[in-house]
């Protein structure tokens, strides 16, 4: 059976492998396809597609956009993004301003309290990377302010805390409008991470479907078998398609392996085939 991973990150956002290294790793793991879904950017897609061109690996150009639904931050994956689409690039640039403003606020507060952190530390040799909380967690760990990235999140990077005020966020409506206008296939990412009950997840999916949602990430590193089974039922009831991926970030999530998650995740190419048939008609 052929396997895929439809949720991966590179150094274009908060992964630790370049797009080329990500492709090479996927090939070494005998994956048939991966989706490159960096946070709020499509900057890594050209390099990823070029690296995959002669590798035998199918690379699905994508993204993962953060937004707010009824006060809760949710993430929406987008597949089949056109990295040459100016409307998409402009929309993402607009969304990124909210993240950049949050990051500057965080940096200011850390510096006020005497932390030895620079933008060069955060970007780690990748000037155009989209800086996320994971970048701060890595640097805080490297500088000895935390024993691990997970402790850095708990101690310094919780939303609403001293160093991480909740930013003015993009809305779910704005994200769905951009994706549908730019012919991107929208998929609700890792629904179990939003601390919602199944009925709330269903209501969220119903609402987003009304805005153009086409799929749900049923299989994910943070989902157990029982949860995936219940999400599969919701997906089928609503006429959505299931997707799945590891949410691979390299050493920023050292317990998550590409294509395997935390050990038991295996996503069949059949899911991607169904998604492609839905997208291309």
């Amino acid at each position: 059976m052929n396997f895929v991973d439809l949720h991966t990150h590179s150094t274009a956002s908060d992964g630790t492998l370049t797009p080329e290294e990500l492709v090479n790793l996927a090939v070494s793991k005998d994956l048939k396809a991966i989706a490159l879904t960096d946070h709020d950017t499509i900057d890594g897609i050209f390099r990823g597609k070029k690296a995959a061109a002669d590798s035998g690996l199918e690379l699905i150009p994508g993204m993962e956009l953060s937004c707010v639904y009824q006060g809760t931050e949710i993430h929406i994956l987008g597949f089949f993004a056109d990295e040459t689409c100016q409307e998409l690039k402009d929309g993402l640039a607009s969304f990124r301003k909210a993240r950049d403003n949050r990051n500057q606020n965080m940096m200011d507060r850390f510096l006020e309290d005497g932390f030895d952190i620079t933008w060069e530390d955060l970007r780690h040799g990748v000037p155009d990377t989209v800086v996320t909380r994971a970048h701060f967690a890595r640097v805080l760990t490297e500088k000895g302010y935390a024993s691990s990235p997970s402790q850095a999140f708990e101690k310094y990077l919780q939303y609403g805390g001293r160093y991480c005020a909740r930013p003015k966020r993009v809305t779910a409506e704005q994200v769905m409008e951009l994706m549908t206008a730019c012919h991107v296939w929208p998929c609700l990412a890792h629904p179990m991470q939003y601390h919602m009950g199944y009925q709330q997840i269903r209501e969220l999916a119903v609402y987003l479907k009304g805005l153009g949602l086409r799929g749900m990430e049923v299989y994910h590193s943070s989902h157990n078998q029982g949860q995936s089974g219940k999400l599969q039922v919701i997906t089928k009831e609503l006429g959505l398609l299931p997707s799945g991926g590891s949410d691979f970030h390299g050493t920023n999530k050292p317990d998550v392996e590409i294509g395997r998650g935390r050990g038991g995740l295996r996503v069949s190419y059949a899911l991607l085939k169904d998604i492609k048939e839905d997208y291309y008609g």
Side-chain angles (χ1 to χ4, degrees), residues 50-67:
K50 184 177 179 181
D54 299 318
S55 69
L57 179 78
E58 184 177 353
L59 188 133
I60 307 301
M63 67 192 78
E64 182 177 8
L65 304 189
S66 305
C67 56

Side-chain angles (χ1 to χ4, degrees), residues 93-107:
S94 175
F95 293 169
R96 185 170 171 174
K97 288 181 180 178
R99 186 184 290 276
D100 290 345
N101 290 339
R102 189 277 307 273
N103 290 340
Q104 185 61 60
N105 178 270
M106 291 172 66
M107 176 63 88

Side-chain angles (χ1 to χ4, degrees), residues 69-74 188 191-205:
Y69 164 81
Q70 294 185 356
T72 296
E73 180 179 301
I74 64 171
L188 178 63
M192 298 309 302
Q193 291 191 357
Y194 308 136
H195 306 292
M196 296 178 176
Y198 291 108
Q199 181 57 33
Q200 291 175 299
I201 291 173
R202 192 181 192 283
E203 290 170 0
L204 167 60

Side-chain angles (χ1 to χ4, degrees), residues 4-8 33-37 60 77 79 217 242-247 267-268 271-272 275:
V4 303
D5 191 335
L6 302 181
H7 192 161
T8 69
I34 63 170
L36 178 55
T37 53
I60 307 301
L77 296 166
F79 300 146
E217 192 171 38
S243 182
S246 65
D247 205 355
V267 180
S268 169
L271 269 68
L272 176 57
I275 290 170

